[in-house]
Amino acid sequence: MPAPRRASQHRSQSSTNLELNPLFSRPGEATVFPRFTVPEGESLPSTAYQIVHDEAMLDGNARLNLATFVGTWMEPEAGKLHAETVDKNMIDRDEYPKTAEIEHRCWRMLADLWNAPDPANTIGTSTVGSSEACMLAGLALKRRWQHARRSAGKPADRPNLVMSSAVQVCWEKFCNYFEVEARYVPISEEHRVLDGHGLEDYVDENTIGIVAILGVTYTGMYEPVQEISEALDAIQASTGLDVPIHVDGASGAMIAPFLQPDLVWDFRLPRIVSINTSGHKYGLVYPGLGWVVWRDAKALPEDLVFHVSYLGGDMPTFALNFSRPGAQVLLQYYLFLRLGVEGYRAVHAACRNVAEYLAREIGAMEEFELWNDGSDIPVFAWSLRVGHTDKWNLHHLSDRLRMAGWLVPAYPMPAGLENLTVQRIVVRNGFTRDLAASFLEDLREAVEFLDSADAPFPDPGHAPAFHH
């Protein structure tokens, strides 16, 4: 009989064990737990809770996290609904038919919000996040291209996808995982986003599509989808190539319909075949939810769709994951009912107002140069003004702000501008103007401290890339 597993005796107890404060211990209860092996015995629920609680409370304060796009607050009624439905499995449509029906309602609502020609005949799905949604949209682009090539008797073994060098890392993953050549159009000072300029140098008969980003991760700027579409129209007129567009609206697709309703970026453009968004970003739901919608059923190849029985009928499903939470889908529906168009407009307008206020104040500081002003999605970036100092850089400033509790990333821009380092702020629901004023006070104090140094600060040794 093998001996029971024990933590290594060669490691220090502090690194391999967790200890319970005597204040919470009871007679006969274990107060030391192995850190990297499953304990041999049980513990009381309150004991396990206290240990996990104490570990988690050392994380950063979500309200002060200006790095993440992901929602960090919902009102108590949403929390109650989440607790009541956390056990629902989204894939189990026979067991939870109403949750499945609500999922269907949500993507139909999004299809209407994004001006689909016939929302009743669109097709969509919820996902774990916008990254999975992007993977599904990319797969649909690839499969449609393959079918068209094979029908024409042409080879279908060298697909490529064209996108900005500032694309989110999920698209790099898609191209890697599903064997698609990634063609990156580098950004520059003159072309800060993918805007259609020079696309003819990247598009050919093997191009499965173009990715247009409504809210670039690095800066929050919109890529001008209509201009990209017009550039592709010109390419089609001269070459015959008919290249579709997928809009990665992880953030902007839940902002633009409410704050920029006249901006043409969605299914009003015939070249748009699919759109994704993150329910857990500016959809305002807790983490774990994305959406993707196709223009119509023809835009999603039938051989990618699985059909399951649903209340005696047919329920199409298309996803990479199988079991996944259903609660977030219900939370999205709750918010659609709770806020409506006017509510979403009010929440996002408040965020944008704070972003524009912060951008104005930071742009007025002699140490910095703004990259954008937060008027697209409530996100903006800035760089250190050239020649201001040789004592510190934005990585030092990021570390200094972290000491005050603020998480504000500093990172190099993507290919084309990789020598430029910026900082970025994401304003989310719950980040008030008062908090913004407190941040500005801490920012100015941090800059004053860094400027007061007699000699350059040492290299903080940060990683060379940023893919949040």
Side-chain angles (χ1 to χ4, degrees), residues 383-396:
S383 59
L384 188 61
R385 190 176 299 277
V386 176
H388 170 69
T389 182
D390 60 358
K391 298 176 182 177
W392 58 274
N393 57 41
L394 293 184
H395 292 294
H396 297 111

Side-chain angles (χ1 to χ4, degrees), residues 166-433:
V167 77
Q168 214 269 354
V169 70
C170 70
W171 289 105
E172 299 178 42
K173 291 181 178 180
F174 166 76
C175 290
N176 185 356
Y177 296 165
F178 296 103
E179 299 182 322
V180 174
E181 177 193 353
R183 293 188 174 178
Y184 299 112
V185 181
I187 63 171
S188 65
E189 284 283 357
E190 296 76 24
H191 302 281
R192 296 188 170 194
V193 293
L194 182 70
D195 56 11
H197 174 77
L199 271 184
E200 64 275 7
D201 297 330
Y202 296 86
V203 170
D204 60 25
E205 64 179 358
N206 293 319
T207 301
I208 66 174
I210 303 286
V211 176
I213 311 171
L214 205 68
V216 174
T217 302
Y218 286 84
T219 62
M221 296 176 68
Y222 288 159
E223 293 186 337
V225 183
Q226 187 168 16
E227 292 180 26
I228 296 170
S229 180
E230 290 169 354
L232 291 173
D233 290 343
I235 290 172
Q236 183 175 6
S238 63
T239 67
L241 296 173
D242 185 8
V243 180
I245 298 174
H246 170 76
V247 177
D248 182 350
S251 295
M254 289 302 295
I255 294 283
F258 306 110
L259 296 188
Q260 300 104 357
D262 296 329
L263 181 67
V264 179
W265 64 273
D266 52 19
F267 291 122
R268 285 171 286 184
L269 297 169
R271 204 169 285 279
I272 308 301
V273 295
S274 51
I275 301 171
N276 73 274
T277 196
S278 285
H280 62 219
K281 292 180 181 176
Y282 288 101
L284 305 180
V285 176
Y286 281 137
L289 182 64
W291 298 97
V292 58
V293 176
W294 285 268
R295 168 180 288 275
D296 50 41
K298 294 184 298 182
L300 178 61
E302 178 63 25
D303 55 340
L304 286 176
V305 180
F306 291 83
H307 294 266
V308 297
S309 175
Y310 169 61
L311 293 180
D314 176 73
M315 171 63 75
T317 177
F318 178 34
L320 297 180
N321 287 285
F322 198 69
S323 295
R324 55 187 173 87
Q328 277 82 351
V329 169
L330 300 177
L331 290 177
Q332 185 75 86
Y333 189 56
Y334 163 84
L335 282 169
F336 285 162
L337 300 180
R338 167 73 175 86
L339 294 176
V341 172
E342 289 302 321
Y344 268 102
R345 181 178 294 126
V347 169
H348 294 335
C351 291
R352 184 175 63 178
N353 290 343
V354 172
E356 291 178 331
Y357 160 67
L358 279 171
R360 284 194 304 271
E361 293 295 316
I362 293 173
M365 297 174 67
E366 64 180 15
E367 296 86 0
F368 304 122
E369 291 183 359
L370 278 183
W371 183 261
N372 60 307
D373 63 3
S375 60
D376 289 339
I377 64 174
V379 175
F380 67 96
W382 69 91
S383 59
L384 188 61
R385 190 176 299 277
V386 176
H388 170 69
T389 182
D390 60 358
K391 298 176 182 177
W392 58 274
N393 57 41
L394 293 184
H395 292 294
H396 297 111
L397 178 56
S398 180
D399 284 350
R400 193 73 192 173
L401 290 170
R402 185 180 289 265
M403 295 179 188
W406 303 104
L407 303 180
V408 186
Y411 51 92
M413 292 289 272
L417 287 170
E418 57 267 42
N419 293 325
L420 175 67
T421 296
V422 299
Q423 279 188 287
R424 186 201 67 195
I425 280 180
V426 179
V427 176
R428 304 183 315 284
N429 185 30
F431 188 69
T432 63
R433 193 178 177 102

Side-chain angles (χ1 to χ4, degrees), residues 67-87:
T68 183
F69 286 80
V70 176
T72 54
W73 180 87
M74 294 189 77
E75 56 196 353
E77 290 80 0
K80 180 181 178 183
L81 181 62
H82 186 265
E84 293 170 350
T85 59
V86 72
D87 58 341

Side-chain angles (χ1 to χ4, degrees), residues 157-168:
D157 59 341
R158 298 180 61 188
N160 68 69
L161 183 67
V162 177
M163 53 200 144
S164 162
S165 63
V167 77
Q168 214 269 354

Side-chain angles (χ1 to χ4, degrees), residues 79-100:
K80 180 181 178 183
L81 181 62
H82 186 265
E84 293 170 350
T85 59
V86 72
D87 58 341
K88 293 183 184 293
N89 185 355
M90 192 64 246
I91 203 65
D92 196 347
R93 296 163 189 260
D94 288 331
E95 186 70 20
Y96 307 114
K98 296 307 294 185
T99 300

